Amino acid sequence: MIRINENYQKLKASYLFADIARRVNAYAAAHPDRPVIRLGIGDVTEPLPRACIEALHAATDEMGQRATFRGYGPEQGYAFLREAIAQHDYAARGCEVAPDEIFVSDGAKCDCANIQEIFAQDARLAIPDPVYPVYLDTNVMAGRTGANVDGRYAGITYLDSTPANGYVPAVPPGPADLIYLCFPNNPTGAVATRAQLAAWVAYARENRAILLYDSAYEAYIRDPQIPHSIYEIPGAREVAIEFRSFSKTAGFTGLRCAYTVVPKTLQASDAAGQGQSVHALWNRRHTTKFNGVAYPIQRAAGGGGNAARPAPTPPRNDILKRPPQQKSGGGAPPRAAAAVSPAAGQEQTRALTDFYLGNAKLIREAVQRLGFTCVGGDNAPYIWVNTGRDSWEFFDLLLSRAQVVCTPGAGFGRCGEGHVRISAFNSRENVAAALERIAAALR
Ligand code: MLT
């Protein structure tokens, strides 16, 4: 009989959020008269910004016309979106990122999960604890760890994030090759200062390591001193890959659009010790395994998520399909992507993140009034509450007494024990009701 990938047997039985969903669904089915409010998984609830909707409609109409219909697009993303990202998300912050260093994809989760496969099997990993489970699980699946003993996999350098270090881990004493970092952090909501990030870049340069920097929540940063991108740190272009997402920025969890930046200056060594371009490897992987994000979705991302005003980019197969005079996007031009100005899209997405941060502030204040300490919620949509109690017990207590779903900290790692994560992604009404119920349940 064919054999399975044994590494999967080292994993916990199910993915954290699937596990929570199962428990919550069971509770809801058993108590249909007690509606549950979900502040667990970080899934957005508010409608898409107007600019995104308008771009989405316009692009869908284009797909209904022969002259503007598009089939396969470039796997790495349309130039209009990559250029807008380079300009708005990087150049505007003084970071040097070229459009062709940006790979548009259907999710930062997938990119964070897949990136490990371009690196050696024996790469030494450093992973925070608590952590977004995807970084760890995908390396377990790939066979880069030993067995799980007492909640920790052999072969990983865990970067403890605790009250003692403000939930921002320092560089480890020993060497590592691949280091996962996430700021603003999921699950803690903690942010790293410029000095802390500079220490990580210095460590990576010294150890010839690569930082895998997840900044999916950067749009929530309000403190002007906090860097939004690892490339704000000098020297990062030689040692860092950055992951970004439109999910939490512009409400795209259901639409799916994200991007990964792989600088052309980033190298990793082959078995002979020769430097190889990581950009070339990721490009090879991406073009082999991915066929691009749907055109209307990229237009929506360009319309709302950043400054994109797309020039009509000819489809990749134009040369085969169209008469010669139409090769450069001639014929009936696609309708302008964003009927609204790009600035309006930026304003609308800012309003969306402001809204969730308003929820976060209410949550922070409420848990502090209840006597708990917490971090996050000021530059992040997550509040990490130090409950001082078993985190699954606390989860069960909130579910059964308040019908509120949070995420138990232990699900994110050993250092998450004693904590729960409360997400600010919900309507104001639901957040207010949840906080009242929590206060009553803990009274
Ligand atoms: C979370 O709740 O941690 C996130 O929604 C998970 C994700 O973005 O995949």
Side-chain angles (χ1 to χ4, degrees), residues 15 17 40-43 109 132 134 186 217 248 382 412 421:
Y15 181 61
F17 292 107
I41 192 166
D43 193 6
K109 175 179 180 175
Y132 178 46
V134 172
N186 179 12
Y217 298 92
K248 316 295 161 77
Y382 297 126
F412 298 105
R421 189 191 78 176

Side-chain angles (χ1 to χ4, degrees), residues 106-288:
D106 61 350
K109 175 179 180 175
C110 320
D111 289 350
C112 289
N114 293 327
I115 195 78
Q116 46 77 27
E117 71 180 60
I118 63 170
F119 297 105
Q121 190 66 20
D122 61 357
R124 294 165 297 184
L125 303 172
I127 297 189
D129 178 354
V131 73
Y132 178 46
V134 172
Y135 314 153
L136 188 56
D137 286 2
T138 52
N139 279 289
V140 176
M141 291 169 178
R144 281 199 191 83
T145 71
N148 189 326
V149 180
D150 294 335
R152 288 207 156 168
Y153 291 98
I156 302 271
T157 297
Y158 285 91
L159 305 168
D160 290 356
S161 308
T162 64
N165 60 20
Y167 303 97
V168 178
V171 301
D177 301 314
L178 266 186
I179 299 130
Y180 289 80
L181 294 176
C182 173
F183 292 109
N185 187 259
N186 179 12
T188 68
V191 286
T193 62
R194 194 170 294 276
Q196 286 167 324
L197 292 180
W200 277 108
V201 169
Y203 172 90
R205 292 181 72 90
E206 203 178 307
N207 289 278
R208 309 189 74 189
I210 289 183
L211 304 176
L212 300 173
Y213 192 76
D214 182 352
S215 64
Y217 298 92
E218 61 77 30
Y220 289 84
I221 296 173
R222 292 294 178 272
D223 180 341
Q225 302 302 319
I226 300 295
H228 288 237
S229 167
I230 193 68
Y231 304 118
E232 289 179 51
I233 309 300
R237 277 183 56 83
E238 285 76 41
V239 293
I241 292 173
E242 181 160 290
F243 305 93
R244 292 257 184 121
S245 169
F246 291 94
S247 286
K248 316 295 161 77
T249 309
F252 273 48
T253 55
L255 283 189
R256 312 304 309 150
C257 195
Y259 57 90
T260 290
V261 177
V262 188
K264 290 191 176 156
T265 39
L266 185 63
Q267 297 221 324
S269 110
D270 62 19
Q274 289 296 313
Q276 298 290 335
S277 162
V278 175
H279 180 279
L281 288 182
W282 185 245
N283 190 56
R284 185 70 174 82
R285 191 243 167 240
H286 198 74
T287 49
T288 303

